[in-house]
Amino acid sequence: MVALFGQAVTRRQVAEHAGTLSQFAGVRLMTLGDGVERGVRMLEFRTGTGLRFTVLVDRALDIADCEYRGAGIGWHSPAGFRNPGLHEYEGEGGLAWLRSFSGLIVTCGLDHILFMHSQDAAHYHYVHRKTVDSSIHGRVSTIPARLTGYGEVWGGDECTLWCEGVVQQSTVFGEDLHLIRRIEAKVGGNEILLKDRVVNHGFYRTPHMLCYHINVGHPVLAEGSRYLAPIKHVVWASHAESYRAHGTGYRTMPAPQLPFHEQVWEHWLAADRDGLVPVALVNDSFDGGRGLGFLVETRKSEFPCQFQWQNFQAGQYAMGFEPSTNHVFGKPFAEERGEAIWLEHGDERSYTTRLAVLDGSDEIAAAEQRIRAIAVQPDTDYPEPTGRWDALA
């Protein structure tokens, strides 16, 4: 059954009440037409509950807008959803990526994440290429996808909205990695399912790293909003030497700040008995105390590491969940510890991530109870980093 407007209805009943499903829910392909976004293809999803989100076909099928009943969830940065044709990957010393950094999900990878790095290129067997030079967070997020399908599919009285495509990060004498991405949402539901496969389509032994920059904005993020996570210990903080001087801890969010230097934490998170790791940002005061939150659920075996990104600068106000295949010090650290991932021809890695709106205080309380049952997070905003780097399986 499909839940619409407080009622459980059959497929037939949906058909009886409108000429097409699109009156209530659906997926629609459109093209943005102005400014830096001009020419970007976009899929709009509406589940019928008030959950609306958009998928940028020409930006790696990343999720851009996300809102629930008019309340924004996904972050909109000043950069906008920039056409990838305007992107200069190696510009600004590797930081030009920031000029295309916006939206609920920005995918980082496929062969590099985190800060700039030069890696020996001997594995590509090309004498004129001495190094592989990577800018911040890799190349994939500004590569257009080949859209292989989208639409609605009924299974009995249940309807799933979906899209699927292939993002090819490929070059001659280098990597040939394919990201095969599928996004699903149930009609009548408040969840988004992200299913990724990264495949080495080429015949060179190729490194692989992946991170999702999942960015939540106001009003889920607001003064007093709380970060909930099953934290076993805080591994590292970018600002540890001036921990309290910044006046912002990991647990309770402040209002927009002026000025503010970004803060990044790596938390070592516990998983439930099914290997799932839920984290959330919740605003208990939203809408007069009704409450609104956003939950991200990953698998520990797929993303063993997770960072928390805080950018509370006025005009750029955001908090990010960053599930990652590797620790925060990136590729050189992974190589030193023997934790680098290499893919041979045909090798693949799969990732399944669930995103969910927490609608109201009851759903927030249930999520918090579930997270606390896995591990009780530090009750201070300034837990001492342990500096303990757990081994990655």
Side-chain angles (χ1 to χ4, degrees), residues 85-102:
L86 301 175
H87 186 63
E88 299 176 16
Y89 177 72
E90 296 175 352
E92 300 183 60
L95 292 176
W97 180 88
L98 297 171
R99 295 189 180 274
S100 296
F101 181 29
S102 189

Side-chain angles (χ1 to χ4, degrees), residues 148-295:
T148 57
Y150 69 95
E152 307 94 26
V153 58
W154 285 91
D157 287 322
E158 190 173 83
C159 185
T160 300
L161 312 177
W162 67 279
C163 72
E164 191 165 285
V166 180
V167 185
Q168 297 177 219
Q169 182 183 321
S170 307
T171 186
V172 176
F173 307 129
E175 80 276 12
D176 184 9
L177 296 172
H178 290 196
L179 169 64
I180 298 121
R181 171 163 287 180
R182 183 178 176 90
I183 297 173
E184 298 179 356
K186 299 287 188 185
V187 172
N190 288 331
E191 298 184 358
I192 303 167
L193 193 63
L194 176 64
K195 299 178 180 180
D196 280 349
R197 289 192 299 125
V198 177
V199 181
N200 185 357
H201 186 260
F203 287 84
Y204 294 116
R205 183 172 178 261
T206 301
H208 167 55
M209 305 179 84
L210 189 68
C211 174
Y212 299 146
H213 221 299
I214 304 173
N215 311 298
V216 178
H218 187 73
V220 177
L221 173 63
E223 185 174 13
S225 293
R226 298 182 296 132
Y227 173 76
L228 307 176
I231 298 173
K232 297 180 74 173
H233 64 98
V234 176
V235 180
W236 173 87
S238 61
H239 53 295
E241 293 181 0
S242 55
Y243 215 30
R244 294 180 181 272
H246 285 210
T248 301
Y250 90 96
R251 189 181 58 164
T252 307
M253 305 303 115
Q257 306 289 295
L258 187 64
F260 185 84
H261 189 286
E262 70 161 4
Q263 297 183 168
V264 181
W265 315 68
E266 179 169 349
H267 305 301
W268 190 251
L269 304 184
D272 67 15
R273 64 182 61 186
D274 296 318
L276 300 175
V277 180
V279 295
L281 182 66
V282 301
N283 180 354
D284 302 290
S285 300
F286 174 77
D287 195 17
R290 183 172 184 273
L292 180 65
F294 191 69
L295 180 139

